[in-house]
Every structure is written in structure tokens, then in C-alpha cells.
Amino acid sequence: MAATTLFSLKTDASGAFDGASRGIAVSTGGQARQLKTDGAFRLDKGRLQLARHADLDALESFTLEATIKPKSVGRARRNVMEAQSPPVALFVEDGKLTGSVHTQDGWKSIDSGETRIAAGQAARVGFTRDGRGRMRLLLNGKTVGRGAAKGGLRPVGETGFTIGAWVDGAKHPFSGEIRGVEIARGALNPKAAAKVRSAERRLVQGFKRKTGLKRVEMRLNPNYGNSRLQPIKDIMNAAGVEKLSDLQTLDITTRTVMTPGRVIVAAKTAPTRKPNWGKLAKDLTLGSAAAKRTLLAGTLANRNSVKALGLVVDGDFGPSAPRPSAGAAPGAGAGAARVAAPVAGLAEAGQ
């Protein structure tokens, strides 16, 4: 795949953000409701707006992709995404998938012909243009339209990408679900993409067989722009960090020189748990003396906590694990530190 991702729509507890390396700002407007699926929104006269970025403005050869599930399909035009700079558009009109670019010869478009988008069904749509001006429309990995628009692209205004509507945020509104929006520099190679989709299907089928799960979806992305950061992502995932909101703020209050290979580690956000005081009171009333000491040691710090935490350390790391010394504060000792300080976030010099 001769394409490098410049923008990838992702979401967390704070809303939409760019999951690619450029970090392009994203804002929402109108009726754009975030869904539980990562990078997914339900639009009803809503839109997402991308900030202008030099790499997007400079696009000549590109790949635009998104997974859409339109609420309805009629004759009216419904935009998947469009920009004035660069001058490109991907939309559905009269059920046909359509892609357009603007050159010195004006707007040039291609459509999917007799192949139509179905209402209520999810579809992966794509629009590509290579260095020779050759354009291609993709529907679920298959080519459904071809054409050519030679010459450089000529901007038609100052607005960047708008997802789910025209650049004014009002015309041609998309109604339905949209997710997995990606914008890449370079044209997607259909043959290479077909191999990736085939690998996805094999992995999904194998996962379903082993787990018994039925609703499984997978997207492989062998893109260099993402794989460059994969080692860091793997470390964070292994520490249980899936979203940026899982991390605490890393405060650096003194001058710190970052040399190649140096890593700064931040703590993972600790979950807030509220004790069930009613149940604790009942268990405390009915429990034996030993059970009461253990219950209090695990709930309120007291002189029995050191012994209780020592048992946890031994249970997790074996008899050879360091034990907290008598009179030490609850959680003290190397073994307890290993329990209480999971790696959560990191910044590496040279990345």
C-alpha cells in the first residue's frame, strides 16, 4: 500500500481526536452523537470539522476512506467528506458513490454506476487518486468506478475537511452512522488492499471459532505512519492503557534533558471505588475476630494493614518477594511497589 495516513478519526472520553501522527484538531457541530465504537458517530444534521493542515492542503495523490451506514438513501446528495483545500469530495447521490476533484479544468467526478449504496447497511467506501491523476472508487474493497483528472488540484476556498456535510456544515447533510474515517497521502493499491482484507477475514473467522463470539470486526493497517509508533502502543496496551484518558497528567517541573533511549513513566489513572459501607458493617458484625482484622486492614489503614498487604505480596510474587518491615506504612516495600505502580504512559526521546 503506497499510502501514509495523515488523519485517522478516533474517540475517547473527551471526544474526537486524530489518531494519526499529525494530531490534526477535530471539532463537532450540530447533531453529532458519539457512539461506543471507537471513532464512530451518529449524524443527524451534524458534522465533524478538521482544522487546516499543510499536509492535507498539499494532497495531490490521496486515499479517502470511511465506513458508513446511511439511515436512508434517496436522490439527494449526502456528503461523506468534502474540502475546499484540498478540493476533493466523497458523497452519495441517488444511491451512487461519487468522488470529485477540482483541477484547472474544473470539477471532475466519477461514480459507482449501477452499484448502489444500501440504506441501513454498513459499507466501507473509498476514493483514491494516484500521481498520474487516475481515480478509483472502492466499495467494501472492490473497485466500482474509474476515471481520470490530470493536472494539479486547485483549491476552491479556505475551508478544510468537513465530515458528514458540505463545507458550510449545513448543505448535503449525511444522516446515519459514520466511523473509521481516514485520509492518506498516496493512492491505495487495490491488490495489496485485497490481501489485507483477506487476512482480516481469516483472523476474524479464527477468533470467532476460538472464542464463540459472533460480533467481531477487525481492521489491519500495515501503514508506516501507524506502525512507526506501534512499539510504544504495545507497551501502553500491555500496561492496560487503551485510551489517552487512562493516563494521569505527567508534570515535569524541572529542566529535563531527553536523550535517545530515555523513557519517562507516568502513573496510570487509578479507578475510584466507593466502599459499600452497609455490606462492610454487616460483614464486620457477623465476622470472626480474624475476619474483622482482615476486613479493616483492606478497607481502612491501621496496624493490621502491613500484615494483610504482606500476604497479598506473597500471593502475587511468591515467598521470595520482599516483605514490608514491621511498622512500615501500608504498601511500603519493593513488593508492594510492584503491585501498586503499573506502567501507564511514556514519552521516549527521538520519537
Side-chain angles (χ1 to χ4, degrees), residues 19-42:
S21 58
R22 269 59 179 182
I24 298 170
V26 189
S27 60
T28 60
Q31 298 299 315
R33 185 165 70 89
Q34 182 177 327
L35 303 178
K36 291 183 178 180
T37 303
D38 187 23
F41 285 84
R42 178 173 290 118

Side-chain angles (χ1 to χ4, degrees), residues 33 46 58 62 75 78 133 167 184 217 309 331 333 344 350:
R33 185 165 70 89
F62 60 80
R75 293 185 176 277
R78 303 300 182 192
V167 296
E217 182 176 318
L309 288 175

Side-chain angles (χ1 to χ4, degrees), residues 67-74 78 92 117-123 125 174-178:
T67 298
I68 62 173
K69 186 177 180 181
K71 184 177 180 180
S72 61
V73 176
R78 303 300 182 192
V92 178
I117 299 291
Q121 295 184 14
V125 298
F174 178 87
S175 180
E177 297 177 13
I178 186 166

